Amino acid sequence: MNFFYVLNSKSLKQFALILVVSFFTAWFLYVENIVQIPVFSSKDGPKAVYKGEKGVALTFNIGWGDKKAEPILDILKEEKVNATFFLAGSWAERHPDLVNRMVKEGHEIGILGYDYVDYSEVKEEKIRQDLSNAKTAFEKLKIDNIVLARAPTGHFNQSALTIADQYNYTLVHWSIDSKDWTNPGSEQIIKKAASAKKGDIVLLHASDSAKQTANALPEIIKKLQKKNLEFVTVSEMISNAESKSKEVH
């Protein structure tokens, strides 16, 4: 009898432990799913948004090249879709007509630094210089209402968040990476980008290295429209929104 009592006691304890673990796992998944705007940040510091709470935001990085931006703008105009373009200041200086067209057609402009600098690997002064050079470049183009920035390589740390905040920029990451810059084929780009759901920020590119993005874009738009998702700019997506913080390590 004692043997069976001990055995049953151990079984009950194991069963109770499984119940507790299952409960906390379910609770974690529930909380994760109801949070609308995840962000990267320190506990009390500035935030880098990578997901919103309404619509879907198509974002295009442009660092260099002369050929791919215009076809993408043509498609967005034809489809009546507004996007957010993160532009390197050095590229904007060389393509003022395209920058002005973006603004005229209702797209949002964000800063992609000035040069291709990894903000997680350089000293604070280099980040300041890069953002300052970009800010000056856009001011010369008479675009002085920019509120968004993106780390040129996608990598950043707490210093980059703090410095961007000092320039009154919100650092923007993404929740869906189309991997279009790897040129995996239009169908793969469509599959990744069109997997977006409500609140997702989609990373695309309009630099010349992204050779297949323009071909994929009409189908991406079509598939997202079938999900009844509204296309919004990043600022529209995150306006008046609550947010959750994650520590930057």
Side-chain angles (χ1 to χ4, degrees):
M1 292 291 291
N2 288 338
F3 171 76
F4 287 107
Y5 174 77
V6 171
L7 181 62
N8 289 336
S9 177
K10 286 182 177 179
S11 298
L12 285 171
K13 287 180 180 178
Q14 289 175 345
F15 180 70
L17 180 61
I18 291 170
L19 278 179
V20 171
V21 171
S22 299
F23 172 78
F24 280 107
T25 300
W27 175 252
F28 174 80
L29 292 172
Y30 171 74
V31 171
E32 187 180 53
N33 285 329
I34 64 170
V35 171
Q36 298 291 335
I37 305 187
V39 298
F40 294 106
S41 76
S42 65
K43 290 181 179 178
D44 302 312
K47 302 172 177 65
V49 176
Y50 72 89
K51 194 174 175 67
E53 67 173 1
K54 57 186 177 183
V56 62
L58 299 182
T59 69
F60 294 86
N61 286 5
I62 308 182
W64 68 281
D66 306 301
K67 299 177 181 178
K68 299 301 180 184
E70 194 163 10
I72 284 173
L73 284 170
D74 290 342
I75 293 167
L76 293 172
K77 183 177 181 179
E78 182 177 346
E79 299 290 342
K80 296 180 174 60
V81 170
N82 286 338
T84 300
F85 285 86
F86 288 92
L87 310 177
S90 55
W91 184 88
E93 287 177 333
R94 297 192 299 273
H95 302 87
D97 291 344
L98 286 175
V99 178
N100 287 331
R101 178 183 171 182
M102 290 172 189
V103 174
K104 183 178 179 181
E105 294 181 359
H107 303 296
E108 181 174 32
I109 303 296
I111 284 179
L112 192 69
Y114 187 84
D115 294 315
Y116 194 73
V117 176
D118 189 332
Y119 285 179
S120 68
E121 293 187 352
V122 297
K123 294 182 178 179
E124 290 185 8
E125 185 53 39
K126 181 62 178 176
I127 300 174
R128 292 183 193 281
Q129 182 183 23
D130 192 61
L131 283 174
S132 178
N133 288 343
K135 186 173 186 292
T136 299
F138 285 102
E139 285 175 347
K140 287 180 179 178
L141 293 173
K142 302 191 183 307
I143 301 174
D144 53 8
N145 59 343
I146 296 177
V147 296
L148 304 178
R150 176 172 276 170
T153 66
H155 302 137
F156 58 89
N157 53 24
Q158 186 57 48
S159 293
L161 283 169
T162 300
I163 293 167
D165 185 63
Q166 290 169 350
Y167 278 88
N168 295 318
Y169 298 136
T170 296
L171 209 61
V172 178
H173 201 57
W174 54 82
S175 54
I176 300 289
D177 185 353
S178 71
K179 303 284 187 184
D180 59 341
W181 60 275
T182 66
N183 297 306
S186 296
E187 292 209 0
Q188 283 300 311
I189 297 171
I190 293 166
K191 183 178 179 180
K192 285 184 178 294
S195 69
K197 299 176 182 178
K198 181 182 177 182
D200 276 324
I201 296 174
V202 182
L203 172 64
L204 295 154
H205 294 77
S207 292
D208 283 4
S209 55
K211 303 178 186 301
Q212 301 159 342
T213 307
N215 289 336
L217 187 56
E219 189 65 18
I220 292 170
I221 292 171
K222 181 179 178 181
K223 285 182 177 296
L224 293 176
Q225 286 174 333
K226 282 186 176 180
K227 295 181 179 181
N228 294 318
L229 291 170
E230 178 188 5
F231 291 101
V232 295
T233 64
V234 172
S235 287
E236 289 172 337
M237 175 179 279
I238 66 177
S239 63
N240 301 320
E242 295 294 327
S243 62
K244 175 184 121 175
S245 296
K246 288 186 180 180
E247 234 177 307
V248 173
H249 297 290

